[in-house]
Coordinates of all heavy atoms in Angstrom, one line a residue:
P32 N 71.6 76.1 98.1 CA 70.1 75.7 97.9 C 69.3 76.6 98.9 O 69.7 76.9 100.0 CB 70.1 74.3 98.3 CG 71.5 73.8 98.1 CD 72.4 74.9 98.4
V63 N 63.2 83.5 106.3 CA 62.1 83.4 107.3 C 61.2 84.7 107.2 O 61.5 85.7 107.8 CB 62.7 83.3 108.7 CG1 61.5 82.9 109.7 CG2 63.8 82.3 108.8
S100 N 43.1 85.3 110.2 CA 43.0 86.2 109.0 C 43.9 85.8 107.9 O 43.7 86.2 106.8 CB 43.3 87.7 109.4 OG 44.7 87.8 109.7
P148 N 54.2 73.2 92.9 CA 55.0 71.9 92.8 C 56.3 72.1 92.0 O 57.2 71.4 92.2 CB 54.0 70.9 92.2 CG 53.0 71.8 91.5 CD 52.9 73.0 92.3
L200 N 46.1 62.0 106.6 CA 47.2 62.6 105.9 C 48.0 61.5 105.2 O 48.3 61.6 104.0 CB 48.0 63.4 106.8 CG 49.3 64.0 106.3 CD1 49.0 65.0 105.1 CD2 50.2 64.6 107.4
Q225 N 60.5 74.5 119.6 CA 60.7 75.9 119.9 C 61.3 76.1 121.3 O 60.6 76.1 122.3 CB 59.4 76.7 119.8 CG 58.7 76.5 118.4 CD 59.6 77.0 117.3 OE1 59.9 78.2 117.3 NE2 59.9 76.1 116.4
A229 N 57.5 77.0 126.5 CA 57.3 76.0 127.5 C 57.1 74.6 126.9 O 57.1 73.6 127.6 CB 56.0 76.3 128.4
A230 N 56.8 74.6 125.6 CA 56.6 73.3 124.9 C 57.9 72.6 124.5 O 57.8 71.4 124.0 CB 55.7 73.5 123.7

Side-chain angles (χ1 to χ4, degrees):
V63 192
S100 71
L200 172 64
Q225 304 300 300

